[in-house]
Amino acid sequence: MLNTFKKALKIPELRKKLVFTFLMLIVFRIGSSIPVPGIDVAVVKEAINQHGGAFALYDVISGSALSNFTLFALSVTPYITSSIIIQLLAVAIPSMEEMQKSGEQGRKKLASWTRYLTIMLALIQATALSIGMFRSALMSDSIMSTVAVVLTLTAGTAFLMWLGEMITEKGVGNGMSMIIFFGIVSRFPNDVKQTIALAKAGQINYIQIALFLLISILIVVGVIMILQGVRKIPVQYAKRTVGRSTYGGKQSHMPLKVNQAGVIPVIFASSLLAFPQVLQLFIKNPTYAQFVAKWFNGTQAPGIYVFSLLQFVLVIGFSYFYISITFNPVEVADNLKNANGFIPGIRPGKPTSDFITKSLNRLTFVGAVFLAIIASVPTMLYQATNVPFQFGGTSLLIVVGVAIETAKQLESQTVMRNYQGFLK
């Protein structure tokens, strides 16, 4: 990865893209440091500390912008949510599915709908934060003050969405992914500082730190192996003769990723588990508050064990659900048949789709269990070692996944530029 980065810096065009990406990410960090006017940040931090399980993931993704209640407090979560909604609707609604397959114009229209839905969701979330969850943090109860906070948060999300699209268009990597990646990584220096301070104070020992680092390295290695893991189903294309020319007869493969669902099931599970704690902010009932604090607390026993078990089960369930609506084995088998391709030993048509379904279910089980373990282990690791690196499974998957994809993109562009130079 470092060699790829060094080679990219030697190519003027890629160097410009890297500099542009870096400058845009600096703009993101500057915006993440500008507080929203009319908000008492101390009250927000206290509320997040009390209900950490509900806001921990969003605070990590935003690079602590939520706990500091800055311009980018909502981060790109409205955009992620709207993208998932549009993707699911494209599967459920035939007209949207045709639009998705119709080419560049159809995809541009869906992208436009995603932007509009992002603004709507940002407006709803900003309103919920301002007059619901953090109402006590408002310095003034006037309507104008509340509207100003809501519009500021919505505008921050809109600007961040534009920033991500500019990085995708003129920079390196996927803009939204790079923003999330940079937000997560930006917390590491502070975590290192806290760890050193706790070690000097004698609250944690160096054996705990060493154990934490060892397990963290093993987790990252496991994440890389699963993210890169692919089952290659062999595919043979039949020969056909047109005039004096013979076409086909080639051997290829159909790649099925072990982690076909990506990080989406973990996001779904985390959002569902956060719902009881979010509901607690609206239901002022001491009995309900004690129940949530005991059984849905992701940082203390016994809630941490119940939370982790529920998360494990939900991640597996959502993995199967998401893959079932985004991957159609029947369609894949039909496309293979239309291209005169077949899997050796498997008849075209229904037997092929059944074989792909069976293979996919096995891979999904492995990938789902992996996701569930990765989602639960970091929380348990933090509980066991007390090292204040409060990263979750979702953030770990995002960081490693974005790093791998960005390195691949840089490598492919470097190879392409080298070939162009050779041809010249």
Side-chain angles (χ1 to χ4, degrees):
M1 183 176 178
L2 291 176
N3 289 332
T4 301
F5 187 75
K6 290 178 181 178
K7 291 178 182 177
L9 288 176
K10 295 178 181 178
I11 301 173
E13 186 177 350
L14 287 182
R15 186 166 60 244
K16 289 180 180 179
K17 287 188 174 184
L18 288 170
V19 171
F20 179 83
T21 303
F22 182 70
L23 292 176
M24 291 299 100
L25 292 175
I26 289 179
V27 172
F28 161 63
R29 290 309 303 164
I30 292 174
S32 299
S33 303
I34 301 175
V36 175
I39 291 291
D40 189 347
V41 179
V43 176
V44 175
K45 289 185 176 181
E46 183 180 355
I48 291 178
N49 290 332
Q50 290 179 355
H51 309 282
F55 305 103
L57 173 62
Y58 303 106
D59 193 41
V60 169
I61 289 176
S62 66
S64 300
L66 178 60
S67 58
N68 294 319
F69 218 80
T70 62
L71 295 179
F72 299 150
L74 297 181
S75 188
V76 294
T77 51
Y79 181 85
I80 296 172
T81 305
S82 64
S83 299
I84 294 173
I85 291 173
I86 294 296
Q87 188 177 6
L88 294 178
L89 290 177
V91 176
I93 302 175
S95 59
M96 291 184 66
E97 186 177 5
E98 289 295 327
M99 192 182 300
Q100 193 176 37
K101 297 178 180 179
S102 62
E104 189 65 24
Q105 290 299 324
R107 286 192 290 269
K108 282 184 177 180
K109 195 167 187 180
L110 288 177
S112 179
W113 289 359
T114 303
R115 296 189 192 100
Y116 290 131
L117 184 58
T118 299
I119 299 301
M120 291 175 58
L121 290 176
L123 195 61
I124 293 171
Q125 291 184 19
T127 304
L129 287 176
S130 302
I131 67 176
M133 301 177 189
F134 302 135
R135 186 179 184 87
S136 57
L138 290 171
M139 294 181 180
S140 174
D141 289 335
S142 65
I143 296 177
M144 291 302 297
S145 178
T146 305
V147 170
V149 172
V150 171
L151 292 181
T152 301
L153 291 175
T154 305
T157 297
F159 178 79
L160 207 56
M161 179 174 60
W162 173 82
L163 201 69
E165 291 181 350
M166 291 298 294
I167 293 175
T168 302
E169 182 181 350
K170 299 182 179 181
V172 176
N174 181 280
M176 301 301 171
S177 299
M178 293 296 291
I179 287 173
I180 296 174
F181 173 86
F182 206 65
I184 295 172
V185 173
S186 65
R187 294 167 57 100
F188 285 3
N190 186 50
D191 291 340
V192 172
K193 183 179 178 181
Q194 290 184 18
T195 302
I196 295 174
L198 290 174
K200 289 182 177 179
Q203 297 183 21
I204 57 175
N205 55 52
Y206 292 102
I207 297 178
Q208 289 176 306
I209 297 176
L211 180 64
F212 175 85
L213 292 175
L214 177 62
I215 297 177
S216 299
I217 292 172
L218 293 177
I219 291 174
V220 171
V221 171
V223 169
I224 294 173
M225 291 177 64
I226 295 296
L227 289 179
Q228 298 286 75
V230 175
R231 181 185 176 184
K232 298 179 180 179
I233 298 177
V235 175
Q236 178 72 41
Y237 290 93
K239 291 183 179 180
R240 58 190 179 95
T241 303
V242 179
R244 295 183 179 181
S245 302
T246 303
Y247 299 93
K250 296 181 179 180
Q251 291 183 351
S252 183
H253 66 270
M254 179 192 305
L256 291 180
K257 296 180 67 175
V258 175
N259 183 26
Q260 192 83 13
V263 74
I264 299 300
V266 184
I267 294 177
F268 282 173
S270 300
S271 300
L272 191 61
L273 288 172
F275 183 74
Q277 294 178 334
V278 173
L279 198 62
Q280 179 186 347
L281 297 174
F282 297 93
I283 301 177
K284 304 298 183 180
N285 188 319
T287 305
Y288 179 75
Q290 291 176 3
F291 173 80
V292 172
K294 181 177 180 180
W295 298 109
F296 286 91
N297 192 332
T299 58
Q300 296 177 357
I304 186 173
Y305 304 111
V306 176
F307 187 90
S308 299
L309 180 61
L310 289 174
Q311 190 176 42
F312 191 92
V313 175
L314 287 173
V315 167
I316 293 177
F318 280 127
S319 294
Y320 277 97
F321 168 75
Y322 186 75
I323 291 175
S324 67
I325 64 175
T326 56
F327 188 91
N328 190 348
V330 176
E331 184 179 348
V332 174
D334 290 340
N335 293 337
L336 193 63
K337 183 179 179 180
N338 294 334
N340 293 321
F342 62 92
I343 300 174
I346 307 295
R347 294 179 61 185
K350 190 175 185 302
T352 298
S353 65
D354 291 342
F355 176 80
I356 295 174
T357 301
K358 185 178 179 180
S359 301
L360 185 63
N361 286 337
R362 291 177 176 177
L363 287 175
T364 300
F365 178 76
V366 175
V369 171
F370 156 76
L371 282 177
I373 292 174
I374 292 300
S376 305
V377 165
T379 305
M380 305 294 288
L381 180 61
Y382 170 71
Q383 181 72 12
T385 61
N386 293 322
V387 178
F389 272 80
Q390 300 182 29
F391 61 88
T394 308
S395 57
L396 187 62
L397 286 168
I398 291 172
V399 168
V400 177
V402 172
I404 291 174
E405 290 302 320
T406 305
K408 283 183 178 180
Q409 189 177 119
L410 278 175
E411 187 175 359
S412 63
Q413 292 189 22
T414 303
V415 171
M416 184 176 65
R417 298 304 189 286
N418 289 337
Y419 272 120
Q420 288 178 350
F422 175 75
L423 291 174
K424 289 178 182 179

